[in-house]
Amino acid sequence: MLLAFAASLATASLVTAAVASQPGAAVAWLLVAIALHALRSALTRSWSVAAAGRVRDRWRQSFAQHLRVPRPEGLRGRGDLLQATEDAAEGPDLDQLSAAARVSGVGLVVVVLAAGWPSAAIIVALAAVAVPLYRRAGRRSQTLIQEHLRRRDLLERRQLELLAHATELRALGSVEYAATEIGALSDHEHRAAERALRIALESSLVTEFVSGVSVGLVAMVVGFALLGSRLDLFRALVAVLVTADLFGAIRRYGIAFHRREAAQIARRVLDVPDAPRPPASARVAVATRLVSTAAPWEATFALAEGDRLLLTGPSGVGKSSLLHALVGWSAPASGTVELTPAPVGFVSPAGGLLTASLRDNLTLGRTIPEDAVREILDDLGLVGPRFHDLDETLSADGGGLSSGERVRLLLARALLAEPALVVLDDIGGVLDAASRARVAEALDRRPQVAVIEATADTPVVVPTTRIEVTR
Amino acid sequence: MTPYAQLRRWVRRASVPPATLTRALVAATVASVTSLGLFVGAAALLVLSAAHPGLRAVAVLLVVIELFAFLRSPIRFVERVSTHRLGFTAVTRWRMWLMRTVGAWSFARWSQHAHGDVLARSLHDTEELQDLWVRSLVPALSSLASLVVADIAVAALPPRPHWLLPALGLLISQGAAATLLVRAFPGLVVRDRERRRRRAAFQSQIVELSRTTPDLDLLGSAAYAAARLDVARRSLTDAEVEIERIRTRLQAMLPLTALGGVALLAAFRPVAAPLWLVGAALVLVAGLEVGATASMALDTAVAVTAATERLDDLDEPATERSRPWPGEPTLVVRGLVLRTGTRTLVDGVDLTLARGRRIAVTGASGVGKSWLLRVVAGLDAADGGTIAVGDCPLDQIAESELRRHVAYVPSEPGLMRGRPADVIALGRTPSRAVADDLAAVGVLTDADTRWEGLSRGETARVAVVRALAIAPDVVVLDEPTAGLGPRDTTALLDLLEHSGAAILVATHDPAVTAWADEVVSLGGLAPSA
């Protein structure tokens, strides 16, 4: 901001020198004005870009923490985190605008020195009117901007969902329907954006008017002073140019004011909540009057090493919800859980692999002898050319693997981590009878592991305890 | 294709309404010229006042300047609304284009792309295109126009003819700045392409780890997931820093181009007509602001070009298929071969699917059941053999016809959120009583039902009802009874049987193999019943 004032002084000197027929001085001042302009834009730009980059990088580092709790399919793109990071990255730029607006007070002193009190009084009076107007405009457009963000989020979620099931859409002959839906959601989003834009622009009409009036009034006052020879040209130019700079800074800050709130909201989104970890237990798992969130029924049990608990019931009764509450991914409707602090293997057909080698998918970066890895694969019937080369790359969606193979790989990954508890969420349905038998045998060979299995009608383990839920 | 040609092609492809474009360009140009005029005019007024030309002239000029100042806002308003509309129209069109393009892919093509990557393309890349007008074409063209107007004014108003020289100086300095920007364009496109690639990789990692991290966290390997994300993050940050470094260098060079103009003004040393000299010098200073706009326009053009490249990647020439669904709807598969790499999964399978016939495909996990089903449903290609309906090869039947007569239910169906009628119809007109079908498989609904988070078993049943809704001739199902209890399985099989369609079902479920008329076992293993 101070550089902007200095550039204005240089411009005023340039004009004065030209009028006084001193071309040499005029050219020199022209050079100074250009240099100051360039310096100002380079400094402000490089500072805010670098600071925004640092903020963005810092929040991105925290993303891994946010991914520890599973989210429904449409939300896995984590557009909320990415958007919040972009909003937060605006923070330094806003701080800079705010600092510039505050420093513009210095401009007032310059105007007083150059053109006396009347010009300064005009600026103070109109700024007093302008600032509340800027804030009001910011508040109004902020509500609309939030509506816009909400619609954008809706569009993003639906788009991820539709793209993830593109083959199914094609099979149903519904691609055109999906395209139309995306078109409608996109129009919806744009209408909200346009409304926010209109409000912002309409408000800026008023604010432009105020700043126009102040520059005009100051120009008039100093113009008359010039005519009456009470002021020289240099001082008059300084007063007008600095007034324009000063209002420019306040206006930019005023218009951006609402973005401060977006940046603050973003920080709340990005702050990592403590994952709800169940308290540690001496037993492998203890659930007391644990009530599923999906339907009102409760389970009470305690598992020790080697126990096999089978949870059966029709689909949709809330078996998976109960398992999620058990491992701390969601809060139960009521009840308490204590869980071993040792590793827990959660295996379900919805579980994911990594785009990495077969070895990395199984060892997860730990050093495990190849023999141990091969032994588990053999135990689970994962043999043949596809599982021969441990360095072969797998794709995250398990492309080329059947659902049954994928689920057994997830189990192999879990068993290699030497868990105290393995949770099997409805894996029987994607395994053939031979594979189910192999999985059961593999688990039997690990008597130190406790197992909880949920299924509608295709259990894999032979239970020591059974909980049956009816609709 | 050069970046310039690429940009031109996409501008043409957007085919925005010419009236909106004209309004935006005119408004933007008038606003830019007004801004420039205000800057120069205000200074000129004061110079005039200093020269004492009389009170009236000053007052008139003051009124003119104020009028300009007030007019500028409404003009900018018209410009902004018009340019945003241009962008909105184009973005919606491209988002729909992307959905249609991805929706026409074969399964093999679709599975090559990580979902996060396609999402990044469909959201961020199309959105960059929106800026093409708002932040690039319209500001660049209007700034250029305002500079041309200023140059003409400077060149036309000199008190003596040979003073055209300083106007030439202005032109040279502007030309140098423009050349600098134009030459920087292809290099920046290359860097930006890399940055975009890395951002997509980062987003893919988020989608992938969103699904995997909870499991890894329970296994005590959360740090491993975090480390994977960290690699993608670092690589993205490096690319962002690199491109910013180049931009900063370019920014630093732009003001140097103004020096040419200064040199000519200095060399000329005009001694009279200070007003004109002031005008020329201020146009030079204002040119710096225009330079900043032009450099923003350049950044946007770079982003748009890189975005269009990534969208072009998704494009695939459509194959011409136009034959209607034959009157004799028996689907016959002869000698089907499926290979992956060097391994032959399916070798010479024959199937005859007449209406009412039920064929189960069994075999251990990974023998190619799902692939076989997708090939029969016309969603994937085979490595050998023929599939025909009556006397017409399957791959010559028009896509819309095929989808009306052949239904396919994947092993993990999706798109299950919303009102039941919408979830089932998905834009089609059901020819069966959907509510009755849902009730028949034990999924109860009423007028107020909204599905959100259906269980695996419910999803499986709804997917079958959805496939049957348009009464297809052939229904292909991948593990439809996984996760269902015996009662639900029976209900589902009854519904399929009463539909009268030819059924091809991949399964491990003994209840399904017992229900089928014929069991085809892949991989040389006996069916598990």
Side-chain angles (χ1 to χ4, degrees), chain A residues 8 111 114-115 215-216 218-220 222-223 234-246, chain B residues 42-43 46:
Chain A
S8 293
V111 172
V215 176
V218 169
M220 200 148 68
V222 299
F234 173 72
R235 283 167 173 259
L237 280 169
V238 167
V240 173
L241 293 176
V242 168
T243 305
D245 283 340
L246 192 148
Chain B
L46 294 178

mmCIF file with all atom_site columns, all heavy atoms in Angstrom, chain A residues 8 111 114-115 215-216 218-220 222-223 234-246, chain B residues 42-43 46:
data_model
loop_
_atom_site.group_PDB
_atom_site.id
_atom_site.type_symbol
_atom_site.label_atom_id
_atom_site.label_alt_id
_atom_site.label_comp_id
_atom_site.label_asym_id
_atom_site.label_entity_id
_atom_site.label_seq_id
_atom_site.pdbx_PDB_ins_code
_atom_site.Cartn_x
_atom_site.Cartn_y
_atom_site.Cartn_z
_atom_site.occupancy
_atom_site.B_iso_or_equiv
_atom_site.pdbx_formal_charge
_atom_site.auth_seq_id
_atom_site.auth_comp_id
_atom_site.auth_asym_id
_atom_site.auth_atom_id
_atom_site.pdbx_PDB_model_num
ATOM 1   N N   . SER A 1 8   ? 2.063   6.831  -6.698  1.00 0.00 ? 8   SER A N   1
ATOM 2   C CA  . SER A 1 8   ? 1.201   7.976  -7.000  1.00 0.00 ? 8   SER A CA  1
ATOM 3   C C   . SER A 1 8   ? 1.997   9.291  -6.909  1.00 0.00 ? 8   SER A C   1
ATOM 4   O O   . SER A 1 8   ? 1.824   10.190 -7.731  1.00 0.00 ? 8   SER A O   1
ATOM 5   C CB  . SER A 1 8   ? 0.025   8.036  -6.028  1.00 0.00 ? 8   SER A CB  1
ATOM 6   O OG  . SER A 1 8   ? -0.809  6.939  -6.259  1.00 0.00 ? 8   SER A OG  1
ATOM 7   N N   . VAL A 1 111 ? -2.840  13.108 2.274   1.00 0.00 ? 111 VAL A N   1
ATOM 8   C CA  . VAL A 1 111 ? -3.810  14.045 1.699   1.00 0.00 ? 111 VAL A CA  1
ATOM 9   C C   . VAL A 1 111 ? -3.844  15.338 2.523   1.00 0.00 ? 111 VAL A C   1
ATOM 10  O O   . VAL A 1 111 ? -3.868  16.445 1.960   1.00 0.00 ? 111 VAL A O   1
ATOM 11  C CB  . VAL A 1 111 ? -5.211  13.394 1.631   1.00 0.00 ? 111 VAL A CB  1
ATOM 12  C CG1 . VAL A 1 111 ? -6.266  14.428 1.221   1.00 0.00 ? 111 VAL A CG1 1
ATOM 13  C CG2 . VAL A 1 111 ? -5.209  12.250 0.641   1.00 0.00 ? 111 VAL A CG2 1
ATOM 14  N N   . ALA A 1 114 ? -0.876  17.331 1.715   1.00 0.00 ? 114 ALA A N   1
ATOM 15  C CA  . ALA A 1 114 ? -0.857  17.842 0.342   1.00 0.00 ? 114 ALA A CA  1
ATOM 16  C C   . ALA A 1 114 ? -1.912  18.914 0.114   1.00 0.00 ? 114 ALA A C   1
ATOM 17  O O   . ALA A 1 114 ? -1.626  19.939 -0.477  1.00 0.00 ? 114 ALA A O   1
ATOM 18  C CB  . ALA A 1 114 ? -1.056  16.685 -0.639  1.00 0.00 ? 114 ALA A CB  1
ATOM 19  N N   . ALA A 1 115 ? -3.131  18.644 0.607   1.00 0.00 ? 115 ALA A N   1
ATOM 20  C CA  . ALA A 1 115 ? -4.226  19.533 0.200   1.00 0.00 ? 115 ALA A CA  1
ATOM 21  C C   . ALA A 1 115 ? -5.026  20.088 1.370   1.00 0.00 ? 115 ALA A C   1
ATOM 22  O O   . ALA A 1 115 ? -6.068  20.699 1.160   1.00 0.00 ? 115 ALA A O   1
ATOM 23  C CB  . ALA A 1 115 ? -5.146  18.785 -0.756  1.00 0.00 ? 115 ALA A CB  1
ATOM 24  N N   . VAL A 1 215 ? -13.687 10.678 -4.775  1.00 0.00 ? 215 VAL A N   1
ATOM 25  C CA  . VAL A 1 215 ? -12.595 11.130 -5.648  1.00 0.00 ? 215 VAL A CA  1
ATOM 26  C C   . VAL A 1 215 ? -13.027 12.408 -6.370  1.00 0.00 ? 215 VAL A C   1
ATOM 27  O O   . VAL A 1 215 ? -12.267 13.380 -6.464  1.00 0.00 ? 215 VAL A O   1
ATOM 28  C CB  . VAL A 1 215 ? -12.199 10.020 -6.661  1.00 0.00 ? 215 VAL A CB  1
ATOM 29  C CG1 . VAL A 1 215 ? -11.128 10.528 -7.622  1.00 0.00 ? 215 VAL A CG1 1
ATOM 30  C CG2 . VAL A 1 215 ? -11.686 8.784  -5.938  1.00 0.00 ? 215 VAL A CG2 1
ATOM 31  N N   . GLY A 1 216 ? -14.286 12.414 -6.840  1.00 0.00 ? 216 GLY A N   1
ATOM 32  C CA  . GLY A 1 216 ? -14.791 13.582 -7.565  1.00 0.00 ? 216 GLY A CA  1
ATOM 33  C C   . GLY A 1 216 ? -14.797 14.823 -6.697  1.00 0.00 ? 216 GLY A C   1
ATOM 34  O O   . GLY A 1 216 ? -14.361 15.896 -7.129  1.00 0.00 ? 216 GLY A O   1
ATOM 35  N N   . VAL A 1 218 ? -13.057 15.437 -3.946  1.00 0.00 ? 218 VAL A N   1
ATOM 36  C CA  . VAL A 1 218 ? -11.680 15.868 -3.642  1.00 0.00 ? 218 VAL A CA  1
ATOM 37  C C   . VAL A 1 218 ? -11.105 16.594 -4.857  1.00 0.00 ? 218 VAL A C   1
ATOM 38  O O   . VAL A 1 218 ? -10.490 17.664 -4.731  1.00 0.00 ? 218 VAL A O   1
ATOM 39  C CB  . VAL A 1 218 ? -10.792 14.668 -3.235  1.00 0.00 ? 218 VAL A CB  1
ATOM 40  C CG1 . VAL A 1 218 ? -9.317  15.066 -3.183  1.00 0.00 ? 218 VAL A CG1 1
ATOM 41  C CG2 . VAL A 1 218 ? -11.238 14.110 -1.901  1.00 0.00 ? 218 VAL A CG2 1
ATOM 42  N N   . ALA A 1 219 ? -11.350 16.019 -6.067  1.00 0.00 ? 219 ALA A N   1
ATOM 43  C CA  . ALA A 1 219 ? -10.824 16.650 -7.289  1.00 0.00 ? 219 ALA A CA  1
ATOM 44  C C   . ALA A 1 219 ? -11.402 18.053 -7.437  1.00 0.00 ? 219 ALA A C   1
ATOM 45  O O   . ALA A 1 219 ? -10.695 18.992 -7.820  1.00 0.00 ? 219 ALA A O   1
ATOM 46  C CB  . ALA A 1 219 ? -11.173 15.788 -8.496  1.00 0.00 ? 219 ALA A CB  1
ATOM 47  N N   . MET A 1 220 ? -12.705 18.185 -7.077  1.00 0.00 ? 220 MET A N   1
ATOM 48  C CA  . MET A 1 220 ? -13.332 19.487 -7.214  1.00 0.00 ? 220 MET A CA  1
ATOM 49  C C   . MET A 1 220 ? -12.694 20.507 -6.249  1.00 0.00 ? 220 MET A C   1
ATOM 50  O O   . MET A 1 220 ? -12.334 21.620 -6.642  1.00 0.00 ? 220 MET A O   1
ATOM 51  C CB  . MET A 1 220 ? -14.824 19.364 -6.918  1.00 0.00 ? 220 MET A CB  1
ATOM 52  C CG  . MET A 1 220 ? -15.649 20.489 -7.470  1.00 0.00 ? 220 MET A CG  1
ATOM 53  S SD  . MET A 1 220 ? -17.282 19.918 -7.929  1.00 0.00 ? 220 MET A SD  1
ATOM 54  C CE  . MET A 1 220 ? -17.973 19.545 -6.347  1.00 0.00 ? 220 MET A CE  1
ATOM 55  N N   . VAL A 1 222 ? -9.766  20.415 -4.758  1.00 0.00 ? 222 VAL A N   1
ATOM 56  C CA  . VAL A 1 222 ? -8.385  20.805 -5.086  1.00 0.00 ? 222 VAL A CA  1
ATOM 57  C C   . VAL A 1 222 ? -8.356  21.579 -6.407  1.00 0.00 ? 222 VAL A C   1
ATOM 58  O O   . VAL A 1 222 ? -7.504  22.442 -6.603  1.00 0.00 ? 222 VAL A O   1
ATOM 59  C CB  . VAL A 1 222 ? -7.403  19.600 -5.140  1.00 0.00 ? 222 VAL A CB  1
ATOM 60  C CG1 . VAL A 1 222 ? -7.325  18.905 -3.803  1.00 0.00 ? 222 VAL A CG1 1
ATOM 61  C CG2 . VAL A 1 222 ? -7.750  18.629 -6.244  1.00 0.00 ? 222 VAL A CG2 1
ATOM 62  N N   . GLY A 1 223 ? -9.295  21.266 -7.321  1.00 0.00 ? 223 GLY A N   1
ATOM 63  C CA  . GLY A 1 223 ? -9.379  21.993 -8.588  1.00 0.00 ? 223 GLY A CA  1
ATOM 64  C C   . GLY A 1 223 ? -9.623  23.476 -8.340  1.00 0.00 ? 223 GLY A C   1
ATOM 65  O O   . GLY A 1 223 ? -8.949  24.341 -8.908  1.00 0.00 ? 223 GLY A O   1
ATOM 66  N N   . PHE A 1 234 ? 1.408   19.867 -8.178  1.00 0.00 ? 234 PHE A N   1
ATOM 67  C CA  . PHE A 1 234 ? 1.925   18.620 -7.605  1.00 0.00 ? 234 PHE A CA  1
ATOM 68  C C   . PHE A 1 234 ? 1.073   18.156 -6.433  1.00 0.00 ? 234 PHE A C   1
ATOM 69  O O   . PHE A 1 234 ? 0.618   17.019 -6.357  1.00 0.00 ? 234 PHE A O   1
ATOM 70  C CB  . PHE A 1 234 ? 3.385   18.834 -7.167  1.00 0.00 ? 234 PHE A CB  1
ATOM 71  C CG  . PHE A 1 234 ? 3.945   17.661 -6.420  1.00 0.00 ? 234 PHE A CG  1
ATOM 72  C CD1 . PHE A 1 234 ? 4.251   16.481 -7.090  1.00 0.00 ? 234 PHE A CD1 1
ATOM 73  C CD2 . PHE A 1 234 ? 4.161   17.725 -5.044  1.00 0.00 ? 234 PHE A CD2 1
ATOM 74  C CE1 . PHE A 1 234 ? 4.766   15.396 -6.403  1.00 0.00 ? 234 PHE A CE1 1
ATOM 75  C CE2 . PHE A 1 234 ? 4.671   16.645 -4.355  1.00 0.00 ? 234 PHE A CE2 1
ATOM 76  C CZ  . PHE A 1 234 ? 4.977   15.476 -5.037  1.00 0.00 ? 234 PHE A CZ  1
ATOM 77  N N   . ARG A 1 235 ? 0.802   19.105 -5.503  1.00 0.00 ? 235 ARG A N   1
ATOM 78  C CA  . ARG A 1 235 ? 0.020   18.759 -4.319  1.00 0.00 ? 235 ARG A CA  1
ATOM 79  C C   . ARG A 1 235 ? -1.401  18.305 -4.710  1.00 0.00 ? 235 ARG A C   1
ATOM 80  O O   . ARG A 1 235 ? -1.954  17.363 -4.148  1.00 0.00 ? 235 ARG A O   1
ATOM 81  C CB  . ARG A 1 235 ? -0.075  19.963 -3.390  1.00 0.00 ? 235 ARG A CB  1
ATOM 82  C CG  . ARG A 1 235 ? 1.219   20.169 -2.624  1.00 0.00 ? 235 ARG A CG  1
ATOM 83  C CD  . ARG A 1 235 ? 1.243   21.528 -1.950  1.00 0.00 ? 235 ARG A CD  1
ATOM 84  N NE  . ARG A 1 235 ? 2.398   21.645 -1.110  1.00 0.00 ? 235 ARG A NE  1
ATOM 85  C CZ  . ARG A 1 235 ? 2.373   21.492 0.222   1.00 0.00 ? 235 ARG A CZ  1
ATOM 86  N NH1 . ARG A 1 235 ? 1.241   21.250 0.826   1.00 0.00 ? 235 ARG A NH1 1
ATOM 87  N NH2 . ARG A 1 235 ? 3.469   21.581 0.916   1.00 0.00 ? 235 ARG A NH2 1
ATOM 88  N N   . ALA A 1 236 ? -1.956  19.032 -5.707  1.00 0.00 ? 236 ALA A N   1
ATOM 89  C CA  . ALA A 1 236 ? -3.309  18.690 -6.144  1.00 0.00 ? 236 ALA A CA  1
ATOM 90  C C   . ALA A 1 236 ? -3.352  17.265 -6.698  1.00 0.00 ? 236 ALA A C   1
ATOM 91  O O   . ALA A 1 236 ? -4.236  16.467 -6.356  1.00 0.00 ? 236 ALA A O   1
ATOM 92  C CB  . ALA A 1 236 ? -3.759  19.683 -7.210  1.00 0.00 ? 236 ALA A CB  1
ATOM 93  N N   . LEU A 1 237 ? -2.377  16.939 -7.531  1.00 0.00 ? 237 LEU A N   1
ATOM 94  C CA  . LEU A 1 237 ? -2.315  15.593 -8.124  1.00 0.00 ? 237 LEU A CA  1
ATOM 95  C C   . LEU A 1 237 ? -2.154  14.529 -7.044  1.00 0.00 ? 237 LEU A C   1
ATOM 96  O O   . LEU A 1 237 ? -2.807  13.481 -7.067  1.00 0.00 ? 237 LEU A O   1
ATOM 97  C CB  . LEU A 1 237 ? -1.154  15.513 -9.116  1.00 0.00 ? 237 LEU A CB  1
ATOM 98  C CG  . LEU A 1 237 ? -1.417  16.113 -10.494 1.00 0.00 ? 237 LEU A CG  1
ATOM 99  C CD1 . LEU A 1 237 ? -0.121  16.213 -11.273 1.00 0.00 ? 237 LEU A CD1 1
ATOM 100 C CD2 . LEU A 1 237 ? -2.418  15.256 -11.256 1.00 0.00 ? 237 LEU A CD2 1
ATOM 101 N N   . VAL A 1 238 ? -1.254  14.818 -6.089  1.00 0.00 ? 238 VAL A N   1
ATOM 102 C CA  . VAL A 1 238 ? -1.026  13.857 -5.002  1.00 0.00 ? 238 VAL A CA  1
ATOM 103 C C   . VAL A 1 238 ? -2.341  13.589 -4.276  1.00 0.00 ? 238 VAL A C   1
ATOM 104 O O   . VAL A 1 238 ? -2.719  12.438 -4.029  1.00 0.00 ? 238 VAL A O   1
ATOM 105 C CB  . VAL A 1 238 ? 0.039   14.397 -4.020  1.00 0.00 ? 238 VAL A CB  1
ATOM 106 C CG1 . VAL A 1 238 ? 0.046   13.564 -2.734  1.00 0.00 ? 238 VAL A CG1 1
ATOM 107 C CG2 . VAL A 1 238 ? 1.411   14.346 -4.670  1.00 0.00 ? 238 VAL A CG2 1
ATOM 108 N N   . ALA A 1 239 ? -3.081  14.648 -3.963  1.00 0.00 ? 239 ALA A N   1
ATOM 109 C CA  . ALA A 1 239 ? -4.329  14.462 -3.208  1.00 0.00 ? 239 ALA A CA  1
ATOM 110 C C   . ALA A 1 239 ? -5.300  13.578 -3.972  1.00 0.00 ? 239 ALA A C   1
ATOM 111 O O   . ALA A 1 239 ? -5.875  12.628 -3.416  1.00 0.00 ? 239 ALA A O   1
ATOM 112 C CB  . ALA A 1 239 ? -4.949  15.831 -2.927  1.00 0.00 ? 239 ALA A CB  1
ATOM 113 N N   . VAL A 1 240 ? -5.475  13.836 -5.268  1.00 0.00 ? 240 VAL A N   1
ATOM 114 C CA  . VAL A 1 240 ? -6.458  13.069 -6.046  1.00 0.00 ? 240 VAL A CA  1
ATOM 115 C C   . VAL A 1 240 ? -6.018  11.617 -6.208  1.00 0.00 ? 240 VAL A C   1
ATOM 116 O O   . VAL A 1 240 ? -6.795  10.674 -5.979  1.00 0.00 ? 240 VAL A O   1
ATOM 117 C CB  . VAL A 1 240 ? -6.677  13.728 -7.434  1.00 0.00 ? 240 VAL A CB  1
ATOM 118 C CG1 . VAL A 1 240 ? -7.555  12.842 -8.304  1.00 0.00 ? 240 VAL A CG1 1
ATOM 119 C CG2 . VAL A 1 240 ? -7.315  15.088 -7.252  1.00 0.00 ? 240 VAL A CG2 1
ATOM 120 N N   . LEU A 1 241 ? -4.762  11.417 -6.586  1.00 0.00 ? 241 LEU A N   1
ATOM 121 C CA  . LEU A 1 241 ? -4.292  10.051 -6.850  1.00 0.00 ? 241 LEU A CA  1
ATOM 122 C C   . LEU A 1 241 ? -4.300  9.212  -5.569  1.00 0.00 ? 241 LEU A C   1
ATOM 123 O O   . LEU A 1 241 ? -4.694  8.044  -5.581  1.00 0.00 ? 241 LEU A O   1
ATOM 124 C CB  . LEU A 1 241 ? -2.886  10.073 -7.467  1.00 0.00 ? 241 LEU A CB  1
ATOM 125 C CG  . LEU A 1 241 ? -2.813  10.667 -8.883  1.00 0.00 ? 241 LEU A CG  1
ATOM 126 C CD1 . LEU A 1 241 ? -1.363  10.739 -9.360  1.00 0.00 ? 241 LEU A CD1 1
ATOM 127 C CD2 . LEU A 1 241 ? -3.628  9.843  -9.859  1.00 0.00 ? 241 LEU A CD2 1
ATOM 128 N N   . VAL A 1 242 ? -3.857  9.815  -4.458  1.00 0.00 ? 242 VAL A N   1
ATOM 129 C CA  . VAL A 1 242 ? -3.821  9.058  -3.200  1.00 0.00 ? 242 VAL A CA  1
ATOM 130 C C   . VAL A 1 242 ? -5.246  8.742  -2.726  1.00 0.00 ? 242 VAL A C   1
ATOM 131 O O   . VAL A 1 242 ? -5.509  7.654  -2.208  1.00 0.00 ? 242 VAL A O   1
ATOM 132 C CB  . VAL A 1 242 ? -3.006  9.824  -2.126  1.00 0.00 ? 242 VAL A CB  1
ATOM 133 C CG1 . VAL A 1 242 ? -3.210  9.202  -0.744  1.00 0.00 ? 242 VAL A CG1 1
ATOM 134 C CG2 . VAL A 1 242 ? -1.522  9.794  -2.474  1.00 0.00 ? 242 VAL A CG2 1
ATOM 135 N N   . THR A 1 243 ? -6.186  9.675  -2.935  1.00 0.00 ? 243 THR A N   1
ATOM 136 C CA  . THR A 1 243 ? -7.574  9.388  -2.567  1.00 0.00 ? 243 THR A CA  1
ATOM 137 C C   . THR A 1 243 ? -8.075  8.151  -3.331  1.00 0.00 ? 243 THR A C   1
ATOM 138 O O   . THR A 1 243 ? -8.730  7.263  -2.768  1.00 0.00 ? 243 THR A O   1
ATOM 139 C CB  . THR A 1 243 ? -8.492  10.588 -2.887  1.00 0.00 ? 243 THR A CB  1
ATOM 140 O OG1 . THR A 1 243 ? -7.953  11.728 -2.227  1.00 0.00 ? 243 THR A OG1 1
ATOM 141 C CG2 . THR A 1 243 ? -9.907  10.352 -2.427  1.00 0.00 ? 243 THR A CG2 1
ATOM 142 N N   . ALA A 1 244 ? -7.767  8.110  -4.631  1.00 0.00 ? 244 ALA A N   1
ATOM 143 C CA  . ALA A 1 244 ? -8.196  6.959  -5.446  1.00 0.00 ? 244 ALA A CA  1
ATOM 144 C C   . ALA A 1 244 ? -7.574  5.670  -4.921  1.00 0.00 ? 244 ALA A C   1
ATOM 145 O O   . ALA A 1 244 ? -8.254  4.643  -4.780  1.00 0.00 ? 244 ALA A O   1
ATOM 146 C CB  . ALA A 1 244 ? -7.824  7.185  -6.901  1.00 0.00 ? 244 ALA A CB  1
ATOM 147 N N   . ASP A 1 245 ? -6.272  5.710  -4.587  1.00 0.00 ? 245 ASP A N   1
ATOM 148 C CA  . ASP A 1 245 ? -5.582  4.516  -4.042  1.00 0.00 ? 245 ASP A CA  1
ATOM 149 C C   . ASP A 1 245 ? -6.232  4.052  -2.755  1.00 0.00 ? 245 ASP A C   1
ATOM 150 O O   . ASP A 1 245 ? -6.464  2.864  -2.529  1.00 0.00 ? 245 ASP A O   1
ATOM 151 C CB  . ASP A 1 245 ? -4.111  4.844  -3.729  1.00 0.00 ? 245 ASP A CB  1
ATOM 152 C CG  . ASP A 1 245 ? -3.271  4.878  -4.995  1.00 0.00 ? 245 ASP A CG  1
ATOM 153 O OD1 . ASP A 1 245 ? -3.718  4.300  -5.999  1.00 0.00 ? 245 ASP A OD1 1
ATOM 154 O OD2 . ASP A 1 245 ? -2.195  5.498  -4.967  1.00 0.00 ? 245 ASP A OD2 1
ATOM 155 N N   . LEU A 1 246 ? -6.489  5.062  -1.900  1.00 0.00 ? 246 LEU A N   1
ATOM 156 C CA  . LEU A 1 246 ? -7.006  4.783  -0.562  1.00 0.00 ? 246 LEU A CA  1
ATOM 157 C C   . LEU A 1 246 ? -8.369  4.067  -0.634  1.00 0.00 ? 246 LEU A C   1
ATOM 158 O O   . LEU A 1 246 ? -8.593  3.029  -0.016  1.00 0.00 ? 246 LEU A O   1
ATOM 159 C CB  . LEU A 1 246 ? -7.126  6.138  0.115   1.00 0.00 ? 246 LEU A CB  1
ATOM 160 C CG  . LEU A 1 246 ? -7.373  6.265  1.584   1.00 0.00 ? 246 LEU A CG  1
ATOM 161 C CD1 . LEU A 1 246 ? -6.675  7.535  2.047   1.00 0.00 ? 246 LEU A CD1 1
ATOM 162 C CD2 . LEU A 1 246 ? -8.828  6.369  1.877   1.00 0.00 ? 246 LEU A CD2 1
ATOM 163 N N   . ALA B 2 42  ? -8.441  12.632 -15.438 1.00 0.00 ? 42  ALA B N   1
ATOM 164 C CA  . ALA B 2 42  ? -8.384  13.337 -14.154 1.00 0.00 ? 42  ALA B CA  1
ATOM 165 C C   . ALA B 2 42  ? -7.104  14.161 -14.068 1.00 0.00 ? 42  ALA B C   1
ATOM 166 O O   . ALA B 2 42  ? -7.118  15.325 -13.650 1.00 0.00 ? 42  ALA B O   1
ATOM 167 C CB  . ALA B 2 42  ? -8.443  12.341 -13.007 1.00 0.00 ? 42  ALA B CB  1
ATOM 168 N N   . ALA B 2 43  ? -5.987  13.547 -14.517 1.00 0.00 ? 43  ALA B N   1
ATOM 169 C CA  . ALA B 2 43  ? -4.718  14.272 -14.489 1.00 0.00 ? 43  ALA B CA  1
ATOM 170 C C   . ALA B 2 43  ? -4.781  15.456 -15.452 1.00 0.00 ? 43  ALA B C   1
ATOM 171 O O   . ALA B 2 43  ? -4.332  16.574 -15.132 1.00 0.00 ? 43  ALA B O   1
ATOM 172 C CB  . ALA B 2 43  ? -3.570  13.347 -14.865 1.00 0.00 ? 43  ALA B CB  1
ATOM 173 N N   . LEU B 2 46  ? -6.570  18.467 -14.029 1.00 0.00 ? 46  LEU B N   1
ATOM 174 C CA  . LEU B 2 46  ? -5.789  19.264 -13.089 1.00 0.00 ? 46  LEU B CA  1
ATOM 175 C C   . LEU B 2 46  ? -4.742  20.110 -13.831 1.00 0.00 ? 46  LEU B C   1
ATOM 176 O O   . LEU B 2 46  ? -4.484  21.253 -13.478 1.00 0.00 ? 46  LEU B O   1
ATOM 177 C CB  . LEU B 2 46  ? -5.138  18.358 -12.047 1.00 0.00 ? 46  LEU B CB  1
ATOM 178 C CG  . LEU B 2 46  ? -6.158  17.673 -11.128 1.00 0.00 ? 46  LEU B CG  1
ATOM 179 C CD1 . LEU B 2 46  ? -5.469  16.759 -10.149 1.00 0.00 ? 46  LEU B CD1 1
ATOM 180 C CD2 . LEU B 2 46  ? -6.977  18.703 -10.370 1.00 0.00 ? 46  LEU B CD2 1
#
